[in-house]
Amino acid sequence: MTISCSAGNQEEMTLQKQYRQGKDIFTGKEAIPAMISGHQARLPPQVARCINCHVPDKSGVAKKESAPSLSSAWLQQARTRRGGPAFAYERENFCKTLRSGVDPEYVVLNRAMPRFELSNEQCLALWLYLTEKRDDE
Ligand code: HEC
């Protein structure tokens, strides 16, 4: 199979754009509505920034803290929460978790983790940012 060069570049440029958007959301440059479970009021954008609580860990090592540093290994390697069944994140269940505050095996996350209202596009951007390594790191 031959891959056309320009098509490859196009794809790379789209990925790069999505990755940057993911970074903007993570660092709060692009705000997304967020709430604490059980509360009606939205959190102020500066409180809901992912980076306030999480580190986007590019080391590739899975670590556990109260708000875990979010590396591709931490997200994508199967593990358990509080003795529940094993799970790993992929794009769809990652988005579900961000929206619902419930992990893929239906274990409710700590209330400190807000619930986010984000589009599929924004979620994909975040997923790419957290799971891919790119030049601008
Ligand atoms: C105010 C602090 C706070 C903010 C802001 C926050 N989180 Fe969290 N997040 C947490 C805590 C604490 C946990 C751990 C919950 C648990 O283990 O029960 C968590 C858990 C998670 C998990 C689940 C990880 C796992 O181990 O299953 C993901 C994914 C996640 N956060 C992504 C995000 C993203 C993306 C954003 C921004 C859009 C964000 N968080 C913003 C505190 C926060």
Side-chain angles (χ1 to χ4, degrees):
M1 195 177 81
T2 47
I3 299 167
S4 129
C5 222
S6 66
N9 285 343
Q10 199 65 31
E11 198 178 309
E12 176 53 31
M13 274 166 68
T14 309
L15 279 176
Q16 190 68 32
K17 221 175 122 213
Q18 288 172 310
Y19 182 92
R20 289 225 189 86
Q21 184 188 10
K23 188 172 186 176
D24 285 349
I25 296 171
F26 201 87
T27 56
K29 219 166 136 192
E30 177 176 336
I32 49 176
M35 288 188 272
I36 290 291
S37 160
H39 285 249
Q40 295 298 318
R42 291 210 169 140
L43 287 171
Q46 66 274 24
V47 176
R49 300 182 325 154
C50 317
I51 204 163
N52 286 3
C53 305
H54 295 280
V55 185
D57 183 355
K58 304 289 173 176
S59 70
V61 182
K63 286 180 240 162
K64 175 82 181 98
E65 292 148 25
S66 60
S69 49
L70 298 173
S71 64
S72 58
W74 179 253
L75 292 170
Q76 294 175 302
Q77 276 170 16
R79 66 193 151 85
T80 66
R81 169 176 281 105
R82 296 181 215 122
F87 69 92
Y89 287 99
E90 25 91 352
R91 187 157 59 93
E92 267 99 63
N93 65 16
F94 170 78
C95 299
K96 253 195 208 159
T97 294
L98 292 187
R99 291 177 179 134
S100 66
V102 177
D103 85 10
E105 279 302 335
Y106 307 102
V107 179
V108 178
L109 296 183
N110 189 306
R111 281 182 78 235
M113 167 66 183
R115 280 57 173 153
F116 293 92
E117 284 168 27
L118 75 184
S119 69
N120 289 337
E121 185 209 352
Q122 289 170 319
C123 190
L124 171 61
L126 264 177
W127 176 252
L128 277 176
Y129 174 60
L130 292 172
T131 57
E132 300 241 333
K133 266 203 154 91
R134 305 202 78 81
D135 295 346
D136 70 16
E137 286 312 306

